[in-house]
Amino acid sequence: MMIKKNFVQTLKNKTFTEIDRVGKYLIFKLEDVAFISHLRMEGKYQICKKGDILSKHDHVIFVLDEGMELRYNDVRKFGRMKLVDHDDYKKSTCPLSKLGPEPFEIELLRALSKA
């Protein structure tokens, strides 16, 4: 329960500044912190209007501007979220540090090296 409380307190009243992807991980960057999310088998994010009927599988709800919410829904509860340092999340976070380069980055490098 302490982990949940820390997660909520850390993200409370923060603003999303960017959303990135590395492999199968989504990185939600906020003003001074980021969190990494892996959807696993069935996890998904949905943008809903505040007051829309909640699903019993909506596990995390982020309140957005203009009466909207970002809801994390996961039937099997396999998905994961982890708070990380905003500046060097790729270096310091174990799952991301073990990933190779993105395939499109490799193709771009090959194309540039031939030019």
Side-chain angles (χ1 to χ4, degrees):
M1 191 61 130
M2 189 60 160
I3 294 172
K4 177 182 171 183
K5 191 174 187 176
N6 183 43
F7 188 84
V8 171
Q9 283 302 109
T10 302
L11 299 180
K12 194 172 186 177
N13 298 317
K14 302 284 172 115
T15 300
F16 290 112
T17 59
E18 185 179 347
I19 300 173
D20 197 3
R21 180 200 58 81
V22 177
K24 292 184 178 183
Y25 295 88
L26 297 174
I27 297 94
F28 294 82
K29 297 179 186 177
L30 293 95
E31 299 146 349
D32 60 347
V33 70
F35 74 90
I36 296 174
S37 176
H38 193 294
L39 303 176
R40 304 289 175 162
M41 296 176 75
E42 294 186 18
K44 59 186 159 276
Y45 285 94
Q46 299 171 316
I47 295 180
C48 303
K49 291 181 183 175
K50 188 175 181 180
D52 282 356
I53 296 172
L54 289 173
S55 161
K56 69 179 183 177
H57 303 294
D58 288 338
H59 301 294
V60 181
I61 300 171
F62 298 93
V63 178
L64 305 174
D65 291 338
E66 300 176 20
M68 302 302 286
E69 296 176 337
L70 176 64
R71 297 180 184 176
Y72 176 70
N73 181 289
D74 191 351
V75 173
R76 301 179 83 184
K77 297 184 182 181
F78 288 159
R80 297 288 177 256
M81 293 181 191
K82 180 178 181 178
L83 289 172
V84 295
D85 183 64
H86 182 272
D87 296 324
D88 63 348
Y89 63 89
K90 289 182 184 179
K91 298 175 195 170
S92 65
T93 306
C94 187
L96 295 181
S97 67
K98 294 179 180 179
L99 297 178
E102 289 290 315
F104 296 115
E105 290 175 9
I106 293 171
E107 290 301 317
L108 179 61
L109 290 173
R110 285 185 190 152
L112 291 174
S113 67
K114 291 178 183 179

